[in-house]
Amino acid sequence: MIRAFTLAAGLTVAGQAGWAACADQEDMCETASGGYHIELPEADNPPLVVFLHGYGGSATGTLKNRNMVEPLLARGYAVMAPEGSERNGRQSWNFFPGWEGRDETAFLTEAVQDASTRFGVDADRVVLGGFSAGAFMVYYLACAAPDTFSAYVPVSGGFWRPHPEGCDGPVRMLHTHGWTDNVVPLEGRILGGGRFHQGDIFAGLEIWRVANECVDTKPSGFSTTGQFMRRRWTGCAEGGMLEFALFPGGHTVPKGWADMMMDWYEGLPGG
């Protein structure tokens, strides 16, 4: 059974698509810096997946992706969908160093603490994921403050150019990306008439290997899980784990990602 707090007169309905609010409120949970929606499993002190929407998306839209949300709930994870801040008239994330706007690391930390107080989620077992611009945010937060959350699971996003000179570490990361993604291509692309340049995903993986003090650039293992072709680096500093999963599709959160990600997370030390 799933506790999905809906907007319909505050009724509690199992499995409602994308309309979770904030328990006894008809609107989203509000903190000092922003808001979020949350859905809870029938479990005490559950781990939490925080998933950030893409550019122009919304917290409500995140929870409408039931192929992602329902497997997480079924396996005992709470799911939080924070609301991005406004950038150029659209909801997104203030991810790039030097941009003006909301301190997103402070906001996300605040939201998790709020959910821990209100709903009893386990603030020590929080996985931060995101799609597209949400994945950009995951990358930059993990780079600057890797100890903020227990693991990072970006989908279809990475660094922008110029790539960071380096990141703090170690970090536990599973990056998932589509082979035919043409919105955030593996090689990156130029945006805004040359004002911005998405980075190279493989160059980003090199930055993470350095941050994790991996002993070799060569992957230490390969596997195939359903449609996901995976490569991992395990000979790294204590507390570091890096894995890259390619799938044959484009710019999307692929079906099966939630279970693949949870299997990975639960296989980590302390996961």
Side-chain angles (χ1 to χ4, degrees):
M1 179 67 71
I2 298 165
R3 286 179 285 166
F5 302 118
T6 74
L7 295 179
L11 297 178
T12 303
V13 181
Q16 280 288 325
W19 293 104
C22 188
D24 58 348
Q25 300 178 20
E26 292 187 1
D27 209 344
M28 65 174 58
C29 303
E30 297 288 346
T31 71
S33 303
Y36 65 89
H37 291 311
I38 190 167
E39 289 193 39
L40 303 170
E42 287 288 349
D44 294 329
N45 198 221
L48 175 65
V49 174
V50 179
F51 200 85
L52 311 181
H53 61 74
Y55 178 75
S58 67
T60 299
T62 296
L63 294 184
K64 287 183 177 179
N65 183 355
R66 305 314 291 179
N67 284 331
M68 180 185 76
V69 173
E70 289 179 5
L72 295 170
L73 295 168
R75 286 178 56 168
Y77 289 74
V79 182
M80 175 189 287
E83 186 85 341
S85 52
E86 184 175 327
R87 297 203 64 81
N88 300 319
R90 306 285 293 275
Q91 295 295 107
S92 190
W93 304 95
N94 186 35
F95 59 83
F96 197 76
W99 283 358
E100 294 183 358
R102 184 172 67 181
D103 183 335
E104 305 288 19
T105 300
F107 163 58
L108 295 172
T109 301
E110 177 183 276
V112 168
Q113 290 301 320
D114 184 77
S116 179
T117 301
R118 295 197 203 204
F119 307 114
V121 301
D122 188 345
D124 294 323
R125 291 186 296 158
V126 180
V127 181
L128 180 65
F131 170 67
S132 194
F136 300 151
M137 185 70 247
V138 173
Y139 250 60
Y140 282 98
L141 189 153
C143 181
D147 293 334
T148 305
F149 301 111
S150 65
Y152 299 90
V153 290
V155 181
S156 304
F159 290 125
W160 282 19
R161 295 182 184 273
H163 298 117
E165 293 184 2
C167 290
D168 291 336
V171 66
R172 305 196 296 183
M173 177 175 288
L174 168 63
H175 180 128
T176 305
H177 217 98
W179 177 252
T180 59
D181 191 332
N182 203 35
V183 177
V184 183
L186 290 166
E187 301 81 6
R189 68 174 177 135
I190 296 171
L191 300 171
R195 291 185 300 129
F196 307 112
H197 196 165
Q198 293 171 354
D200 185 292
I201 297 302
F202 290 100
L205 292 172
E206 171 67 8
I207 292 170
W208 293 123
R209 286 194 296 269
V210 171
N212 276 358
E213 301 177 19
C214 298
V215 297
D216 199 347
T217 56
K218 178 178 69 69
S220 54
F222 302 86
S223 62
T224 301
T225 304
Q227 66 175 329
F228 300 101
M229 298 180 63
R230 301 164 64 178
R231 53 205 298 141
R232 67 188 62 89
W233 292 264
T234 56
C236 307
E238 183 177 357
M241 183 72 68
L242 179 62
E243 186 156 339
F244 183 57
L246 272 173
F247 64 95
H251 194 63
T252 187
V253 180
K255 189 174 181 179
W257 175 81
D259 280 307
M260 187 265 293
M261 181 276 291
M262 287 183 289
D263 288 342
W264 171 82
Y265 180 63
E266 292 170 3
L268 298 175

